[in-house]
Amino acid sequence: MSQEMFCFQCEQTAGCSGCTKKTGVCGKSADTAKLQDEITGALIGLAKSLGEKHASKEQIRLMVEGLFSTLTNVNFDNDDLNRQLSKIRGVKALLADAAPDYSMELLWNAQEDIRSLKSLILFGLRGVAAYAYHATVLGYEDDTVNQFFFEAMRLLSKDGGMNDFLPTVLKVGEVNLKCMELLDRANTQTYGIPSPVTVPLKVEKGPFIVISGHDLRDLKLLLEQTEGRGIQIYTHGEMLPAHAYPELKKYSHLKGNFGTAWQNQQKEFADLPAPILFTTNCLMPPKSSYQDRVFTTEVVAYPGMVHIGEDKDFTPVIEKALELGGYREDQNFTGINGGTQVTTGFGHHTILSVADQVADAVKSGALKHIFLVGGCDGARAGRNYYTEFVQKTPADTAVLTLACGKYRFNDLSLGTIGSLPRLMDMGQCNDAYGAIRVASALAEVFQCGVNELPLTLVLSWYEQKAVCILLTLLHLGIRNIYLGPSLPAFVSPNVLNFLVENYQLTPISTPEEDLKKILSPQA
């Protein structure tokens, strides 16, 4: 390709076809995009060199970190990416029959349908790697998951037809289910079972730190290091569900949630008198108005930002919080719809504990339908669909939600059905595993398949973790999924037709039309 860069892995890719200029929509430069391609090519070369041999701990670490680093809005630091690339090539060179790095040009220029299927595999693997990384830092690993990265990456170097790659597309979903279950176990065994909690959006006066991302371990360490220092901690984005875990909410200085979804950070952080710690993806290039207050850790990196290394000494963040001093008076913030608080903590343990109530409500007609409205948020026009959809759901229906897409509507008050709230936040994107557990349990209660339940999934996607979750749903045979706000640019017409014909995957239209179709007696 003659373009300065090529990337179409996220939902907001330029022109819904691909970023090909000096800078991508996410803010990464063409040089960064090239380095990420080189890392991917080196990882494919490593997998090919290893062949059928069992990957070592070091090889697994490089594979998982490398895939995670190339996920959207994670790593913008070319020096750090170059260091990773050198390590991967160094480890590959030690193998007896070291293969050259795979050229990503071969993938991007492949026949359209093959490129589409290989992209589904690669982008799905990047999402799985993020979940595997979070589990690993808590000491939880699964050898099947780890070895599959090498099997699937090795396949990307091969030629073939659609039938040679389709099984692996679905296997990515199967392995991701195992990985999400592993992370669910890691989080709950480390931090306890989440329970429903109301989280204020107010920020109290005095020094504070905002922590963003998904990594609960980083939050725990930050809470430990700030205890008794007169510094309040506020979550942001996907860190909101942390308030529901017993081992985290026991800290009295974990106060509330600041801001809305990740794409609003450049506006919301502009005048923030506090540092922001990014633990995972969703970092946007910081504006000059607040770039001196941004800190990164784990695989997240941005040139010029202070990075907290493996020692996890958050002293620079703490000192910055004390220096800035926070607000002089309490600040009463609101959500997108004007609400002053949000709830979270309705994980699968909580919902399954009242499964009999849910079943009785369905049998009596008090609860006619359950919607899972969740996924990623983003800036592209059309995402108001999800707010309007939730607002228009009938009073005899319930809405489960998860991931950062919930910020479109999680401050709404939808009332209750019996003793249950109509709107229930199940947690982070990886907690889609919990939604699957709930659906499976209800199917057992009603002695039917999941597709026969009065349940509809309405999903929004942005990056690669949403891709692997979608593949998990397809692996499980779940049909009639509504997907938006736009379809992935890397899905070719033939692959899309396959998904529509075999899984009834449906692009969203309007809230009114989709609700009418979903709730019609013939649906």
Side-chain angles (χ1 to χ4, degrees):
M1 290 186 175
S2 60
Q3 295 95 339
E4 294 184 62
M5 68 178 289
F6 178 73
C7 183
F8 63 171
Q9 69 178 10
C10 84
E11 186 267 334
Q12 292 182 177
T13 192
C16 294
S17 59
C19 292
T20 58
K21 305 297 182 182
K22 292 183 178 180
T23 305
V25 172
C26 69
K28 70 181 175 185
S29 67
D31 288 342
T32 300
K34 181 175 181 293
L35 276 170
Q36 291 180 347
D37 272 1
E38 289 180 352
I39 285 174
T40 305
L43 291 172
I44 293 173
L46 173 62
K48 188 175 180 181
S49 301
L50 194 63
E52 301 293 332
K53 297 176 184 175
H54 201 273
S56 69
K57 275 193 168 295
E58 183 181 18
Q59 292 163 346
I60 292 166
R61 181 180 60 81
L62 290 173
M63 177 66 74
V64 172
E65 289 184 4
L67 286 169
F68 192 2
S69 293
T70 57
L71 192 142
T72 302
N73 291 97
V74 173
N75 196 324
F76 298 81
D77 190 334
N78 289 353
D79 289 340
D80 185 66
L81 293 171
N82 268 311
R83 282 192 291 271
Q84 288 192 51
L85 182 59
S86 295
K87 288 179 182 177
I88 296 166
R89 286 174 171 167
V91 168
K92 178 163 66 74
L94 296 175
L95 297 173
D97 298 310
D101 293 353
Y102 177 77
S103 172
M104 295 302 289
E105 293 290 317
L106 295 174
L107 195 158
W108 305 143
N109 288 299
Q111 189 273 336
E112 183 180 41
D113 296 330
I114 302 307
R115 181 179 76 164
S116 181
L117 293 171
K118 285 188 174 184
S119 295
L120 275 168
I121 293 169
L122 174 60
F123 301 156
L125 287 175
R126 287 176 175 170
V128 182
Y131 297 143
Y133 186 97
H134 297 320
T136 298
V137 298
L138 294 178
Y140 289 73
E141 294 188 61
D142 185 287
D143 193 59
T144 300
V145 174
N146 288 337
Q147 300 305 322
F148 176 70
F149 287 120
F150 292 84
E151 174 191 331
M153 291 290 276
R154 188 163 57 247
L155 179 66
L156 296 180
S157 69
K158 298 180 179 179
D159 297 324
M162 288 184 65
N163 290 334
D164 295 303
F165 298 101
L166 270 171
T168 302
V169 169
L170 295 178
K171 191 171 181 181
V172 171
E174 177 185 358
V175 171
N176 183 57
L177 179 62
K178 181 181 288 288
C179 191
M180 287 195 298
E181 187 278 331
L182 179 72
L183 181 54
D184 178 83
R185 182 155 33 95
N187 284 337
T188 54
Q189 292 186 359
T190 305
Y191 304 113
I193 304 298
S195 59
V197 62
T198 298
V199 182
L201 303 182
K202 179 176 77 171
V203 176
E204 297 178 9
K205 65 181 180 180
F208 67 98
I209 296 169
V210 173
I211 180 168
S212 188
H214 306 71
D215 202 301
L216 300 181
R217 175 173 170 264
D218 284 324
L219 173 58
K220 179 68 159 57
L221 293 172
L222 182 64
L223 288 168
E224 291 174 349
Q225 294 180 35
T226 52
E227 192 168 24
R229 300 292 301 273
I231 298 172
Q232 316 293 358
I233 306 299
Y234 293 87
T235 55
H236 173 266
E238 284 273 57
M239 198 64 82
L240 167 64
H243 291 271
Y245 288 89
E247 290 301 309
L248 298 174
K249 67 180 179 181
K250 72 180 183 182
Y251 290 91
S252 61
H253 61 301
L254 178 59
K255 287 291 184 177
N257 192 72
F258 173 82
T260 52
W262 68 272
Q263 76 277 359
N264 301 320
Q265 65 188 258
Q266 290 179 332
K267 178 181 178 181
E268 293 177 343
F269 293 164
D271 301 311
L272 195 68
I276 309 103
L277 174 64
F278 281 89
T279 67
T280 56
N281 56 309
C282 301
L283 169 66
M284 297 178 72
K287 298 289 188 182
S288 59
S289 60
Y290 67 92
Q291 63 183 7
D292 64 325
R293 294 171 307 218
V294 173
F295 297 80
T296 61
T297 191
E298 298 295 349
V299 299
V300 188
Y302 196 89
M305 303 294 100
V306 176
H307 186 79
I308 307 300
E310 293 181 4
D311 63 355
K312 292 298 179 181
D313 182 357
F314 292 115
T315 297
V317 190
I318 293 169
E319 289 178 344
K320 179 61 73 172
L322 294 172
E323 172 195 332
L324 293 170
Y327 292 111
R328 294 184 178 181
E329 302 293 337
D330 291 355
Q331 302 293 310
N332 296 306
F333 294 103
T334 64
I336 289 177
N337 302 288
T340 59
Q341 60 186 26
V342 294
T343 58
T344 190
F346 290 91
H348 62 90
H349 299 90
T350 296
I351 296 177
L352 292 180
S353 70
V354 293
D356 56 339
Q357 295 180 41
V358 175
D360 289 344
V362 172
K363 292 173 182 176
S364 70
L367 176 59
K368 290 200 166 53
H369 207 87
I370 301 172
F371 298 97
L372 174 63
V373 185
C376 310
D377 205 356
R380 188 186 295 280
R383 288 185 179 269
N384 285 340
Y385 166 95
Y386 297 94
T387 309
E388 295 172 11
F389 186 97
V390 170
Q391 288 174 324
K392 293 177 185 297
T393 55
D396 55 3
T397 64
V399 177
L400 304 179
T401 189
L402 45 77
C404 64
K406 61 175 168 272
Y407 280 100
R408 292 276 169 176
F409 49 79
N410 68 338
D411 63 324
L412 291 171
S413 179
L414 298 184
T416 62
I417 295 179
S419 62
L420 299 173
R422 284 192 57 224
L423 178 61
M424 292 175 275
D425 175 17
M426 299 193 72
Q428 297 180 342
C429 56
N430 50 284
D431 291 311
Y433 167 76
I436 292 168
R437 283 284 307 275
V438 169
S440 299
L442 290 175
E444 289 181 13
V445 170
F446 288 100
Q447 297 183 329
C448 67
V450 170
N451 292 312
E452 298 170 274
L453 289 171
L455 170 69
T456 302
L457 279 61
V458 183
L459 306 180
S460 56
W461 83 283
Y462 175 76
E463 42 88 340
Q464 296 78 66
K465 285 185 285 185
V467 174
C468 67
I469 290 172
L470 177 63
L471 296 183
T472 294
L473 297 173
L474 298 183
H475 154 70
L476 292 170
I478 295 176
R479 290 169 169 74
N480 297 307
I481 299 169
Y482 286 72
L483 181 66
S486 60
L487 293 174
F490 51 82
V491 173
S492 68
N494 285 337
V495 172
L496 177 61
N497 286 339
F498 173 84
L499 296 177
V500 170
E501 291 174 6
N502 289 275
Y503 299 97
Q504 291 77 59
L505 188 68
T506 304
I508 61 171
S509 57
T510 67
E512 295 84 358
E513 291 175 4
D514 290 343
L515 278 167
K516 182 179 180 180
K517 181 179 179 181
I518 293 167
L519 297 174
S520 66
Q522 294 78 27

